[in-house]
Amino acid sequence: MAKPVLINNNGLRVNPDLQKERDTGTFNIIELTNIIDGGPERTKRRHELEQLLFSDPVFTNPNRAFLSKSQLYDYGVQKSVKLFHLKRKYQWNEEDYFMAESLLRKEISLSLHHTMFIPAIERLATDEQKAKWLPLAQSFKILGTYAQTELGHGTNLLGLETTATFDQSTDEFVLRTPKITSMKWWPGGLGKSSTHAIVLAQLIIDNKSHGMHPFMVQLRSLDDHTPLPGIKVGDIGPKIAINTVDNGFLILNQVRIPRDQMLMKNAKVSRSGKFTSVGNSKANYATMMLVRVNMTNWAANILCGSVTAAMRYSCVRRQSALKPGGEEEQVINYQSQQYKLFPAVATAYALMFASQQLHDYYNQIYPQLARGSYTNLAELHSQSSALKAITGDVSVHHSEICRRACGGHGYLWYAGIGEAVSSGASIITAEGENTVLYQQTARYLMKQVALNVSGQTLDGFTSYLNNDDNYVNPIQSSEHCHDLQILNDIYQNMANRIIKKTAHRLHADMSSGLEQHIAWNKNMIQLVRSAQVHSHMSIVKAFITSVQSLVLSPVLKQVLHRLCVFYCLYGIINNSGDFIETSSINLNQLELMREEEIKLLSQIRPDAVSLVDAFDIHDETLCSVLGVYDGNVYEKLYESTQREPMNKTDVHPSYYKYIRGLLHSTPQSKL
Amino acid sequence: MAKPVLINNNGLRVNPDLQKERDTGTFNIIELTNIIDGGPERTKRRHELEQLLFSDPVFTNPNRAFLSKSQLYDYGVQKSVKLFHLKRKYQWNEEDYFMAESLLRKEISLSLHHTMFIPAIERLATDEQKAKWLPLAQSFKILGTYAQTELGHGTNLLGLETTATFDQSTDEFVLRTPKITSMKWWPGGLGKSSTHAIVLAQLIIDNKSHGMHPFMVQLRSLDDHTPLPGIKVGDIGPKIAINTVDNGFLILNQVRIPRDQMLMKNAKVSRSGKFTSVGNSKANYATMMLVRVNMTNWAANILCGSVTAAMRYSCVRRQSALKPGGEEEQVINYQSQQYKLFPAVATAYALMFASQQLHDYYNQIYPQLARGSYTNLAELHSQSSALKAITGDVSVHHSEICRRACGGHGYLWYAGIGEAVSSGASIITAEGENTVLYQQTARYLMKQVALNVSGQTLDGFTSYLNNDDNYVNPIQSSEHCHDLQILNDIYQNMANRIIKKTAHRLHADMSSGLEQHIAWNKNMIQLVRSAQVHSHMSIVKAFITSVQSLVLSPVLKQVLHRLCVFYCLYGIINNSGDFIETSSINLNQLELMREEEIKLLSQIRPDAVSLVDAFDIHDETLCSVLGVYDGNVYEKLYESTQREPMNKTDVHPSYYKYIRGLLHSTPQSKL
């Protein structure tokens, strides 16, 4: 079917190589776009938001590459405040607001107000406290953040050193930063923006510590924004990306707050200094887990963008000739290029489906938690940790491959992928460093194995650990390689055996008399590996489940089925040791899979561009001269140099300051 | 032996955790440092240069994190020009000069003048031309660069589109950029600095093309630095790192140069327009190869720096308790942390030795090339391509692991590792994109296999391809796992079998009637893989050879032997599929190796800090608050915030512009 030749808004024709790709795609892109968005009405809503945002020059500054850090922050605040106004004006719901943040690649300054501050009040404050603070926060009378991490203490909550000492004489808490390592460090929006912070501190009453609790602390005057007495607050300095955000430090020097500014949903301190634990502090985990769940979505989005840019560029870019003396070839036609980008696009879909399913699971479990039922908390914690960790790892890994697949030009800022990779890298160490999270998942897995060994049948995400040890991989033909159930079983068997072997060793070490913590540390590499294979298997399962359960046209079903098979085979072939070692595949099957994998490259090839077009990422969101929808890459690259301030004059000031003297100096001239 | 407790120049005591590490190291650091430097006199010379450079505030600006791109360039020019003056004043030889560049992390602007421009004149110009241009370049009367890559054409020299047409009537060449894709794009120093460039262009005489040749083109006036008529030149805009360098574009609009500005060592054009090929154009490859050889050294240096920072920080940083209720633990004592950093430090040594050996090989072969003997050219080309590619890949991979091993703080600019990773990433796509280079190595490997099949005994880097197919891995005990000869053989067998299998398939495909280029593309994934395993094996061999051949004290010999064994085992275990598939190891041996690998972690542990201290990287070169020699990490982190311009005032201008209005607005207020 002939499709229209698109003309972009510069009046430039779509690059013919790219148009050809679009003409030969096999499926209806819009059908897939709607699935990605979560329904046609969400696609429509997204287009409305794109229309609104990208018609506003505040959101489309092409010169932000040249802003200093302070200017970047200023620009991020401008965008945040504009978004807040728009949210209020158009009465956006949360979904709309977060979609808007996402369309702006989260390059804004004040997002913690919505992602951490307000949810923390909702979950940690009493009804009375909520009635006081929520309206202030929701109407932006105050701007807040959540201050937990300290300079010397991250993941280990128990190690936090900030203290809140109850002074019964004045009915106040006195907050204090006892040492340099105890200053709060990292919270977004803390440095220059927030008027308030929920500060996590060790509660001390009569010299006795009662553990970590949240305190509402005003940081800055609501009149003139100056820091209040006893508050030393500032920006922690430049980061490798995300410099629109003023991540901050906070030193508290005997700061007094009224007793009712301890958020007391889960624990109370009375007028007389009596401490009572009233709720379940587990409720607080829900906020942390939601942040992680949302990060899986961010990770998926980053990879969708990177592969969109690299795939389109690889169709436009021509280099060398496949056939000696022939025309220069589109680089996408080199097998090695396909082997960089097709795994990336398959992984992007895998992460997206896995993230969607994790969101669904969270939304299913959260009402239970809110009701005080914690049956599924451990599993949600394990699974959100696992998926936050692996989606971050995998998204950055494949995005970086996409960047490199653009050759030298991928190194340019305007290519957009480098900045995406650097932003995505924050996912790996923020909100629970990945290796720590994998260990938390491992802890859950070890418990599940122990339950299973004790005779209990497991359900949920670890039900595959019920499987016994007599698995035989049935693959004998190329058709078998396309059977998603078989592929799923291969991954499950691999994960099952690695996890059980680790559990066995851990158990043997403890049985031999090692203390638990020593045995744990002795097996940590294998414990982390166990969590990683569980995570990988979870992504595989999510992709397979989506392909099997989504209601799709036959053509699209075939396209996604193929992509899913490719994803599974790629994962096996590139981690073949894990699968061979666990007898999940044999060497003949590995060879067979390699052959199928190569065949699939040719089958995916016609849909290469359609698969990324279906992500339907607006040029302003993608922000990549290599990935522009119209494919006029070289024009855009050259155009980008016009924005470079160094090109405003023919001769740079450095010439007068340094180069002229060098050129005109003689060897004898002194320095 | 008790060692002195060092006091750094701030009067701060060395962090006791770090001092303890130094006290318990098992070997003499200086012995190893001298080996790394290439002898005690080179260590001494380096210290002298460090003393000279870092006593000069031009080279120690701690605020460069806050410079705009234009300011960064200005700062880079200032440093370059200062270096040039120092070179002249102290009559540095090349080795000194490049050491100085390296001590400054190459964060200068004009390095191509020495690394590309002058060497290109030396190798491409006639004696007469050299007599004219070299003195001008060496005395900085002119500043030059080398302009080959075009916007639309990188690796494929044949595709370059810039033309140099001979005009017999005026005895000139007319240089022209025919299309947007033909503008020169990427050369360092081209944008704003260079007065001259050696431009690669298609030579055209009487409408006939004679291929690519080098032309000396003046770009800017020597009086006022303005671009000459017909020259459009500028900066290509921001990159993900290395923004001190003005990578540039160049559009030539009928620029006329005298005939004698074609560099005519290898080909001449006479007054009457007669073209004669006189030399061997292969001589030009020598420059390109030297650049790649030098990049292996840069790659090694980057990893040495990253692991120095991460290792020291991991000894200072404490997190959680290994034993419940115990003191917070140095993170280096977690097995998972050791499994990030010990492979990194082992790899740093491996890359360094491999780079040193490649330099030696280049220095051995170059005189042959200069004499016009090209027997070893193909092997040098293959090996320098392979090692440039793998050292870049591996250095960036492990450096990024080091960055992540520092947790959230690794994301800070002042941690230094992020910038190092981003700079190192340039190695992967510059001067021959890595996948293209691996293919070039693969081409050589396939030729060598064919020679071997035809009965020829191979020598040099591919001699292991002589081995037949009856290898049996003899490992049966843990002692065997420490036998470097056995480990070497395992790698050689793995590489041998993968390469031969690929050669066999390629041959079979061609025998079945496929055209060569189609068969090549059909097997490209395996061809690239073949080159990668050859490259990995080459690094292993270089490390083993160094350990075996260096004259070392027994203690140091043991330390390096252990590290080398660890490097080999780690490489096998983490690519186990390759080794199992080729019957280079079996599953029992894999298990045995895993156990040895874990044991080695404990054996390496006492020397963890000594192994990075031995790199002896000056704090000013390392440029990492996490990696400072004295270990006063938290003080340095907080100190770094004092430099942040946003912290100069309590209230940021954004408050007045945006935040105040938000806080004081009512829901009804308009945008």
Side-chain angles (χ1 to χ4, degrees):
Chain A
M1 139 183 86
K3 296 175 190 172
V5 173
L6 291 161
I7 307 281
N8 85 332
N9 54 12
N10 297 325
L12 288 172
R13 221 160 154 270
V14 168
N15 178 294
D17 282 333
L18 203 50
Q19 185 60 47
K20 188 187 68 191
E21 300 292 335
R22 292 186 174 129
D23 293 342
T24 52
T26 68
F27 67 92
N28 178 356
I29 291 172
I30 294 165
E31 183 186 358
L32 185 49
T33 301
N34 290 339
I35 288 165
I36 294 167
D37 281 318
E41 67 295 338
R42 291 305 301 160
T43 302
K44 180 162 167 282
R45 184 69 185 128
R46 179 168 54 76
H47 288 161
E48 288 165 3
L49 288 173
E50 285 168 350
Q51 174 68 26
L52 178 71
L53 294 174
F54 299 134
S55 59
D56 185 337
V58 167
F59 297 115
T60 57
N61 181 354
N63 294 317
R64 68 187 205 291
F66 304 103
L67 301 181
S68 72
K69 179 164 176 299
S70 182
Q71 289 169 329
L72 260 180
Y73 166 68
D74 189 79
Y75 180 47
V77 172
Q78 183 186 18
K79 286 195 284 187
S80 270
V81 170
K82 189 75 186 268
L83 269 193
F84 291 168
H85 283 302
L86 289 173
K87 181 176 190 293
R88 188 148 67 185
K89 178 175 175 185
Y90 296 106
Q91 303 194 311
W92 288 347
N93 59 22
E94 282 216 334
E95 200 173 5
D96 286 339
Y97 174 76
F98 289 121
M99 189 188 272
E101 279 202 350
S102 179
L103 293 173
L104 300 175
R105 294 176 308 282
K106 298 179 183 279
E107 286 177 12
I108 49 177
S109 302
L110 310 175
S111 62
L112 261 70
H113 184 73
H114 281 107
T115 56
M116 299 284 271
F117 185 63
I118 291 178
I121 297 173
E122 282 169 344
R123 282 160 199 175
L124 301 172
T126 62
D127 288 343
E128 199 182 347
Q129 289 174 321
K130 279 193 244 186
K132 174 177 178 186
W133 295 106
L134 279 179
L136 292 171
Q138 281 158 346
S139 63
F140 308 110
K141 299 283 182 217
I142 63 175
L143 264 181
T145 185
Y146 181 85
Q148 178 175 303
T149 303
E150 295 175 355
L151 180 58
H153 299 90
T155 306
N156 180 28
L157 272 187
L158 298 176
L160 295 178
E161 297 171 327
T162 302
T163 54
T165 307
F166 183 58
D167 179 350
Q168 200 192 327
S169 67
T170 59
D171 199 23
E172 289 171 322
F173 293 106
V174 185
L175 281 97
R176 189 168 161 260
T177 302
K179 314 195 252 180
I180 184 170
T181 48
S182 354
M183 74 177 78
K184 295 296 175 185
W185 185 279
W186 270 117
L190 175 63
K192 307 304 288 186
S193 312
S194 293
T195 62
H196 287 68
I198 295 172
V199 172
L200 274 279
Q202 301 276 0
L203 169 63
I204 294 172
I205 307 173
D206 290 339
N207 296 318
K208 187 177 169 220
S209 173
H210 293 270
M212 299 304 303
H213 294 277
F215 299 85
M216 177 69 77
V217 180
Q218 183 173 348
L219 307 173
R220 290 177 175 272
S221 154
L222 293 177
D223 291 329
D224 61 9
H225 217 55
T226 52
L228 297 187
I231 302 276
K232 187 164 169 67
V233 72
D235 189 278
I236 61 170
K239 294 146 295 187
I240 65 176
I242 320 192
N243 282 309
T244 43
V245 178
D246 56 323
N247 297 85
F249 66 82
L250 168 65
I251 300 170
L252 297 153
N253 183 15
Q254 311 282 0
V255 173
R256 291 181 164 266
I257 57 171
R259 181 170 51 90
D260 69 1
Q261 285 182 212
M262 170 172 154
L263 300 184
M264 297 208 194
K265 185 172 177 191
N266 301 315
K268 289 191 191 306
V269 174
S270 72
R271 180 65 191 89
S272 63
K274 183 161 180 290
F275 174 81
T276 339
S277 181
V278 284
N280 189 320
S281 63
K282 287 178 181 171
N284 190 21
Y285 293 147
T287 312
M288 203 168 67
M289 283 187 289
L290 181 58
V291 169
R292 289 181 190 153
V293 170
N294 286 330
M295 286 174 111
T296 65
N297 181 42
W298 187 22
N301 284 346
I302 284 172
L303 182 53
C304 293
S306 304
V307 72
T308 296
M311 193 76 84
R312 288 178 182 161
Y313 176 61
S314 297
C315 294
V316 170
R317 177 76 173 184
R318 288 175 169 271
Q319 186 170 292
S320 301
L322 258 173
K323 183 170 182 167
E327 185 187 23
E328 285 206 305
E329 191 66 40
Q330 289 173 283
V331 297
I332 191 69
N333 288 332
Y334 291 98
Q335 194 189 58
S336 51
Q337 190 76 353
Q338 293 177 6
Y339 207 57
K340 293 176 185 176
L341 300 188
F342 295 178
V345 73
T347 304
Y349 278 94
L351 297 189
M352 202 181 54
F353 288 128
S355 173
Q356 284 179 356
Q357 288 182 23
L358 184 66
H359 271 87
D360 291 346
Y361 180 66
Y362 178 88
N363 289 332
Q364 175 196 327
I365 301 300
Y366 179 66
Q368 299 175 13
L369 300 181
R371 283 197 312 271
S373 162
Y374 300 112
T375 320
N376 291 304
L377 181 71
E379 178 149 40
L380 177 60
H381 177 59
S382 163
Q383 204 62 13
S384 59
S385 298
L387 287 187
K388 180 274 193 183
I390 197 168
T391 56
D393 283 349
V394 164
S395 169
V396 169
H397 173 75
H398 284 284
S399 289
E400 175 65 9
I401 291 175
C402 289
R403 192 191 66 70
R404 296 177 189 181
C406 297
H409 294 349
Y411 201 73
L412 294 168
W413 188 91
Y414 277 104
I417 312 181
E419 183 86 356
V421 169
S422 298
S423 302
S426 72
I427 298 173
I428 292 166
T429 48
E431 303 300 335
E433 188 273 332
N434 275 3
T435 304
V436 173
L437 292 188
Y438 283 129
Q439 284 186 59
Q440 296 186 359
T441 300
R443 212 170 283 276
Y444 180 73
L445 294 171
M446 293 303 110
K447 282 184 187 157
Q448 293 298 95
V449 171
L451 283 177
N452 182 248
V453 167
S454 75
Q456 189 169 320
T457 302
L458 306 173
D459 56 14
F461 292 101
T462 56
S463 59
Y464 68 98
L465 295 174
N466 295 322
N467 295 345
D468 55 22
D469 208 33
N470 54 11
Y471 172 80
V472 177
N473 179 333
I475 287 187
Q476 293 187 336
S477 70
S478 60
E479 288 71 42
H480 288 155
C481 294
H482 295 252
D483 184 323
L484 292 180
Q485 195 52 51
I486 291 179
L487 292 168
N488 187 56
D489 290 348
I490 292 173
Y491 275 88
Q492 289 200 342
N493 184 65
M494 178 275 295
N496 187 20
R497 288 189 182 169
I498 287 178
I499 291 164
K500 288 208 180 131
K501 189 170 171 184
T502 305
H504 181 76
R505 295 230 171 137
L506 190 65
H507 186 254
D509 280 339
M510 288 193 288
S511 301
S512 79
L514 282 189
E515 286 183 80
Q516 189 183 355
H517 67 275
I518 292 173
W520 185 267
N521 196 30
K522 183 163 172 276
N523 289 281
M524 202 178 271
I525 295 170
Q526 293 303 320
L527 285 159
V528 169
R529 182 179 176 222
S530 296
Q532 286 170 332
V533 297
H534 169 78
S535 308
H536 188 181
M537 190 277 302
S538 298
I539 304 271
V540 164
K541 194 179 171 65
F543 198 169
I544 290 175
T545 310
S546 293
V547 170
Q548 288 174 334
S549 63
L550 283 168
V551 179
L552 302 168
S553 67
V555 173
L556 182 55
K557 190 100 177 175
Q558 189 183 23
V559 167
L560 287 184
H561 185 281
R562 185 187 290 143
L563 198 66
C564 184
V565 169
F566 180 74
Y567 177 76
C568 294
L569 294 179
Y570 179 86
I572 294 169
I573 290 162
N574 284 276
N575 300 281
S576 60
D578 290 342
F579 291 87
I580 299 169
E581 183 189 340
T582 54
S583 304
S584 307
I585 60 168
N586 62 37
L587 293 181
N588 291 332
Q589 290 164 338
L590 177 60
E591 274 314 293
L592 196 58
M593 287 176 165
R594 280 221 177 90
E595 284 167 29
E596 286 312 302
E597 188 190 38
I598 298 287
K599 284 186 210 158
L600 282 166
L601 292 177
S602 314
Q603 291 167 22
I604 293 168
R605 174 67 189 85
D607 289 320
V609 167
S610 299
L611 283 167
V612 300
D613 277 356
F615 296 136
D616 195 24
I617 304 174
H618 195 286
D619 273 356
E620 287 291 345
T621 298
L622 190 59
C623 199
S624 164
V625 291
L626 303 184
V628 282
Y629 183 81
D630 69 23
N632 290 300
V633 167
Y634 296 117
E635 291 78 3
K636 293 287 196 314
L637 273 166
Y638 185 56
E639 201 180 289
S640 75
T641 66
Q642 313 302 305
R643 302 193 197 110
E644 168 62 60
M646 298 211 333
N647 292 335
K648 301 294 179 205
T649 57
D650 276 334
V651 179
H652 193 272
S654 308
Y655 168 72
Y656 305 105
K657 288 158 73 180
Y658 312 112
I659 294 177
R660 186 167 58 179
L662 177 75
L663 294 172
H664 296 165
S665 69
T666 61
Q668 289 71 37
S669 73
K670 64 192 184 85
L671 291 181
Chain B
M1 138 183 86
K3 296 175 191 174
V5 174
L6 292 161
I7 306 282
N8 84 333
N9 54 12
N10 297 325
L12 288 172
R13 222 160 153 271
V14 168
N15 177 295
D17 282 332
L18 203 50
Q19 185 61 47
K20 188 188 68 189
E21 300 292 335
R22 293 188 174 128
D23 293 342
T24 53
T26 67
F27 66 93
N28 177 356
I29 291 173
I30 294 166
E31 183 186 357
L32 184 50
T33 300
N34 290 339
I35 288 166
I36 294 168
D37 281 319
E41 67 294 340
R42 291 305 300 162
T43 302
K44 181 163 166 282
R45 184 69 186 129
R46 178 167 56 75
H47 288 161
E48 288 165 3
L49 288 174
E50 285 167 351
Q51 175 69 27
L52 178 71
L53 294 174
F54 299 135
S55 60
D56 184 337
V58 166
F59 297 115
T60 58
N61 180 355
N63 294 317
R64 66 186 205 293
F66 304 103
L67 300 181
S68 71
K69 178 164 177 298
S70 181
Q71 290 169 328
L72 260 180
Y73 165 70
D74 189 78
Y75 180 48
V77 172
Q78 183 186 18
K79 286 194 285 187
S80 270
V81 170
K82 189 75 186 267
L83 269 193
F84 291 167
H85 283 302
L86 291 172
K87 181 176 191 292
R88 189 149 65 184
K89 178 175 176 186
Y90 295 105
Q91 302 193 311
W92 288 347
N93 60 22
E94 283 217 334
E95 202 173 3
D96 286 339
Y97 174 76
F98 289 121
M99 189 188 272
E101 279 202 351
S102 179
L103 293 173
L104 300 175
R105 293 176 308 281
K106 297 180 184 278
E107 286 177 11
I108 49 176
S109 301
L110 310 176
S111 62
L112 260 69
H113 183 73
H114 281 107
T115 56
M116 298 284 273
F117 185 63
I118 290 178
I121 296 173
E122 283 169 344
R123 283 163 199 173
L124 301 172
T126 62
D127 288 343
E128 198 181 347
Q129 289 174 323
K130 280 194 243 185
K132 174 177 178 184
W133 295 107
L134 279 179
L136 292 172
Q138 281 158 346
S139 65
F140 308 111
K141 299 284 181 215
I142 62 175
L143 265 182
T145 185
Y146 181 84
Q148 177 174 305
T149 304
E150 296 175 355
L151 180 57
H153 299 89
T155 307
N156 179 28
L157 273 187
L158 298 176
L160 295 178
E161 296 169 329
T162 302
T163 55
T165 306
F166 182 58
D167 180 350
Q168 201 192 329
S169 68
T170 60
D171 200 24
E172 291 172 320
F173 293 106
V174 185
L175 281 97
R176 190 168 161 259
T177 301
K179 313 195 253 182
I180 185 169
T181 48
S182 353
M183 73 176 77
K184 295 295 175 186
W185 184 279
W186 270 118
L190 175 62
K192 309 303 290 185
S193 313
S194 293
T195 62
H196 288 66
I198 295 172
V199 173
L200 273 278
Q202 301 277 359
L203 169 63
I204 293 172
I205 307 173
D206 290 338
N207 296 318
K208 188 181 168 215
S209 174
H210 293 270
M212 298 304 302
H213 294 276
F215 299 85
M216 177 68 78
V217 179
Q218 184 173 348
L219 307 174
R220 291 177 175 273
S221 155
L222 294 176
D223 291 328
D224 62 9
H225 218 53
T226 52
L228 296 188
I231 302 275
K232 189 165 168 65
V233 71
D235 189 279
I236 60 170
K239 294 145 295 188
I240 65 176
I242 319 190
N243 282 309
T244 44
V245 178
D246 56 323
N247 297 85
F249 66 83
L250 168 64
I251 300 170
L252 297 154
N253 183 14
Q254 310 283 357
V255 173
R256 291 181 164 266
I257 58 171
R259 182 168 52 90
D260 70 1
Q261 285 182 213
M262 171 172 152
L263 299 184
M264 297 208 194
K265 184 173 178 189
N266 300 315
K268 289 191 191 306
V269 174
S270 74
R271 178 67 190 87
S272 63
K274 184 160 179 291
F275 175 82
T276 338
S277 183
V278 284
N280 190 321
S281 63
K282 287 178 180 171
N284 191 23
Y285 292 148
T287 312
M288 204 167 66
M289 283 187 289
L290 181 58
V291 169
R292 289 180 190 155
V293 170
N294 286 330
M295 285 174 113
T296 65
N297 180 43
W298 186 22
N301 284 345
I302 283 173
L303 182 54
C304 293
S306 304
V307 71
T308 297
M311 194 76 84
R312 289 179 181 160
Y313 176 61
S314 297
C315 294
V316 170
R317 177 76 173 184
R318 288 176 171 272
Q319 186 170 291
S320 301
L322 258 173
K323 183 171 185 167
E327 184 187 24
E328 284 206 306
E329 191 67 39
Q330 289 173 283
V331 296
I332 192 68
N333 287 332
Y334 291 96
Q335 192 189 59
S336 51
Q337 189 77 354
Q338 294 177 3
Y339 206 57
K340 293 176 186 177
L341 300 186
F342 295 178
V345 74
T347 303
Y349 279 94
L351 297 189
M352 203 182 53
F353 289 128
S355 174
Q356 284 178 356
Q357 289 183 22
L358 183 66
H359 272 86
D360 292 345
Y361 180 66
Y362 179 87
N363 290 332
Q364 175 196 328
I365 300 301
Y366 179 67
Q368 298 176 12
L369 300 181
R371 284 198 310 271
S373 163
Y374 299 113
T375 321
N376 292 304
L377 181 70
E379 179 149 39
L380 177 60
H381 177 60
S382 164
Q383 205 61 13
S384 60
S385 298
L387 287 188
K388 179 274 191 183
I390 197 168
T391 55
D393 283 349
V394 165
S395 169
V396 169
H397 173 75
H398 284 284
S399 290
E400 175 66 10
I401 290 174
C402 290
R403 192 191 65 70
R404 297 178 189 180
C406 298
H409 294 349
Y411 201 73
L412 294 168
W413 189 90
Y414 277 104
I417 312 182
E419 183 86 356
V421 169
S422 298
S423 301
S426 72
I427 297 173
I428 292 166
T429 48
E431 303 299 335
E433 188 273 333
N434 275 4
T435 305
V436 173
L437 292 188
Y438 283 130
Q439 284 186 58
Q440 295 185 0
T441 300
R443 211 171 284 276
Y444 179 74
L445 294 171
M446 294 302 111
K447 282 183 187 156
Q448 293 299 94
V449 171
L451 283 178
N452 181 248
V453 167
S454 74
Q456 189 170 319
T457 302
L458 306 174
D459 56 13
F461 293 101
T462 55
S463 60
Y464 69 97
L465 295 173
N466 294 323
N467 296 346
D468 55 21
D469 208 34
N470 55 10
Y471 172 80
V472 177
N473 180 332
I475 287 186
Q476 293 187 335
S477 69
S478 60
E479 288 71 42
H480 289 156
C481 294
H482 295 253
D483 184 322
L484 291 180
Q485 195 51 52
I486 291 179
L487 292 167
N488 187 56
D489 291 347
I490 292 174
Y491 275 88
Q492 288 199 343
N493 183 65
M494 178 276 295
N496 187 18
R497 288 190 183 167
I498 286 178
I499 291 165
K500 288 210 181 130
K501 188 170 170 184
T502 304
H504 182 74
R505 293 228 173 141
L506 190 65
H507 187 256
D509 280 339
M510 288 194 288
S511 301
S512 79
L514 282 189
E515 288 182 78
Q516 190 184 353
H517 68 275
I518 293 174
W520 186 268
N521 196 29
K522 183 162 172 276
N523 289 281
M524 202 178 270
I525 295 169
Q526 291 304 321
L527 285 160
V528 170
R529 183 180 175 220
S530 296
Q532 287 170 332
V533 296
H534 168 78
S535 308
H536 188 181
M537 190 276 301
S538 298
I539 305 270
V540 164
K541 192 179 173 64
F543 198 169
I544 290 176
T545 310
S546 294
V547 171
Q548 289 174 334
S549 63
L550 284 168
V551 179
L552 302 168
S553 67
V555 173
L556 183 55
K557 190 102 177 173
Q558 190 183 23
V559 167
L560 287 184
H561 186 281
R562 184 188 290 142
L563 198 66
C564 184
V565 169
F566 180 75
Y567 177 76
C568 294
L569 295 179
Y570 178 86
I572 293 170
I573 290 162
N574 286 275
N575 300 281
S576 61
D578 290 342
F579 291 87
I580 300 170
E581 183 189 339
T582 54
S583 305
S584 308
I585 60 168
N586 63 37
L587 294 181
N588 290 332
Q589 291 164 338
L590 178 61
E591 273 315 293
L592 196 57
M593 289 177 166
R594 280 220 178 91
E595 283 167 28
E596 288 311 303
E597 188 190 38
I598 297 288
K599 285 186 211 157
L600 283 167
L601 292 178
S602 314
Q603 292 168 22
I604 293 169
R605 174 69 188 86
D607 289 321
V609 167
S610 300
L611 283 168
V612 300
D613 277 357
F615 297 137
D616 194 25
I617 303 173
H618 195 286
D619 274 355
E620 286 291 346
T621 298
L622 191 60
C623 199
S624 164
V625 291
L626 303 184
V628 283
Y629 184 81
D630 68 23
N632 290 299
V633 168
Y634 296 118
E635 291 77 4
K636 292 288 195 317
L637 272 167
Y638 184 57
E639 201 179 288
S640 75
T641 66
Q642 313 302 304
R643 303 193 195 109
E644 167 63 59
M646 298 210 334
N647 293 335
K648 301 294 179 204
T649 57
D650 276 334
V651 179
H652 193 272
S654 307
Y655 169 72
Y656 304 104
K657 287 158 74 180
Y658 311 114
I659 294 177
R660 184 168 58 180
L662 178 75
L663 294 172
H664 296 166
S665 67
T666 61
Q668 288 72 38
S669 74
K670 65 192 186 81
L671 293 183

